[in-house]
Structure formats: C-alpha cells, structure tokens
C-alpha cells in the first residue's frame, strides 16, 4: 500500500510552507499508520480534504471494514484540514473524535471528505463523511483539533535527507 501521490494544495499555501523550508506533501502525508493502511490524500485545503483507503487489508474478523480503520481515515483528513486552517505556525492535535458507522463494506475503496464545521483561533472541528464506491455513506465522523503554536522539536518539518 502506497505512498501519498497527487495531493493538490492552493498555491499560496504551498508558497507559505516552502518559504519555511517545509515540503508540504510530506508534512501532510497520512504518516506511517496511514501509509500502512493505504490512505491516499488526493485533495487538500482548509475548506475540503479528500482521501481514499482500500477496504482490503483493513477489515475486522467478519471481513467488514474495521471501524478503527474508518477512524484513522477520518482523523487523518480532519487533521490535515485543521493544519491547513492553522497555518505554518500552528500544529493540530486531535482532542475529540466521534464516529458513527452506518453500513458494512467488504471490498473496494472508501472515500472520505472532510469539511469544516468550525474554524477558530485555538480549535478546528471537521465533519468527515466516508462513502463506498457506490456513494453510500459508510461512516459519519467529527474531529476537533486543538491548534497550538509550533515549538522546537515538534517534528513539524520532515527530517533532512541523507
């Protein structure tokens, strides 16, 4: 399961992070867990984050998409939106995640779409709707992130190559 590819960001956001020496697509990847689960972020802005995840490899013993896998996708997408809202000087830390699972999925790809419910100075809340390939809602989630100032050692910048 692959690395993140083809992420789209508004040019002004790319420029803001590039001025700080930050590789934005690397910073907003799904991380090691998301990579292991096959999460792909395909569109990202503070107004809308879209990502996909395969069902295969992310199932529970009955062969259905694991609720925890849906939670990983939801938290990843909501966190990306929160970080983009907060800007380069803030870090988003999840403080509340709620997921309601509506239907089981046994195969294919699920798609999550995160949109803001609240974007403040110190918190951001996103609604994340996860759907199957037929467009049927699989999970509704809500994530609230604390937005705090970046501190030295936060790991906001990817490690240097070499």
């Amino acid at each position: 399961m692959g690395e993140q590819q083809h992420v789209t960001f508004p040019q002004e956001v790319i420029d803001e992070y590039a001025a700080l020496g930050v590789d934005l697509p690397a910073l907003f990847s799904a991380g090691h867990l998301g990579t292991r689960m096959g999460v792909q972020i395909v569109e990202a802005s503070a107004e809308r984050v879209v990502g996909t995840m395969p069902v295969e490899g992310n199932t529970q013993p009955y062969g259905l998409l694991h609720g925890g896998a849906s939670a990983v996708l939801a938290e990843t997408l909501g966190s990306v939106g929160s970080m983009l809202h907060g800007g380069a000087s803030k870090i988003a830390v999840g403080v509340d995640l709620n997921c309601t699972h509506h239907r089981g999925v046994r195969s294919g790809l699920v798609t999550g779409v995160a949109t803001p419910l609240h974007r403040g100075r110190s918190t951001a809340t996103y609604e994340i709707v996860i759907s199957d390939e037929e467009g049927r809602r699989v999970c509704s989630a809500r994530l609230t992130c604390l937005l705090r100032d970046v501190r030295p050692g936060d790991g906001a910048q990817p490690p240097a190559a070499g």
Side-chain angles (χ1 to χ4, degrees), residues 60-129:
Q60 39 89 308
Y62 298 114
L64 299 170
L65 177 65
H66 196 291
S70 293
V72 167
L73 179 59
E75 185 151 355
T76 299
L77 300 178
S79 293
V80 168
S82 295
M83 288 287 289
L84 288 169
H85 163 65
S89 65
K90 298 284 186 179
I91 244 183
V93 180
V95 294
D96 182 62
L97 175 65
N98 175 286
C99 298
T100 301
H101 307 288
H102 305 292
R103 68 174 53 245
V105 181
R106 292 187 179 277
S107 64
L109 201 65
V110 291
T111 299
V113 178
T115 54
L117 296 173
H118 166 77
R119 291 187 295 168
R121 287 179 290 159
S122 61
T123 63
T125 301
Y126 279 75
E127 175 184 45
I128 305 93
V129 174

Side-chain angles (χ1 to χ4, degrees), residues 3-86:
E3 297 176 14
Q4 173 180 322
Q5 300 173 18
H6 310 295
V7 178
T8 57
F9 294 96
Q11 188 60 47
E12 64 273 10
V13 174
I14 293 171
D15 294 343
E16 177 185 2
Y17 283 85
L20 299 170
V22 176
D23 177 355
L24 193 61
L27 180 63
F28 292 114
S29 74
H32 295 295
L33 177 60
T35 297
R36 192 170 25 246
M37 296 180 72
V39 172
Q40 299 271 325
I41 300 170
V42 296
E43 176 187 334
S45 71
E47 292 76 32
R48 178 179 154 97
V49 181
V50 179
T52 63
M53 182 179 66
V55 173
E56 183 180 353
N58 294 315
T59 58
Q60 39 89 308
Y62 298 114
L64 299 170
L65 177 65
H66 196 291
S70 293
V72 167
L73 179 59
E75 185 151 355
T76 299
L77 300 178
S79 293
V80 168
S82 295
M83 288 287 289
L84 288 169
H85 163 65

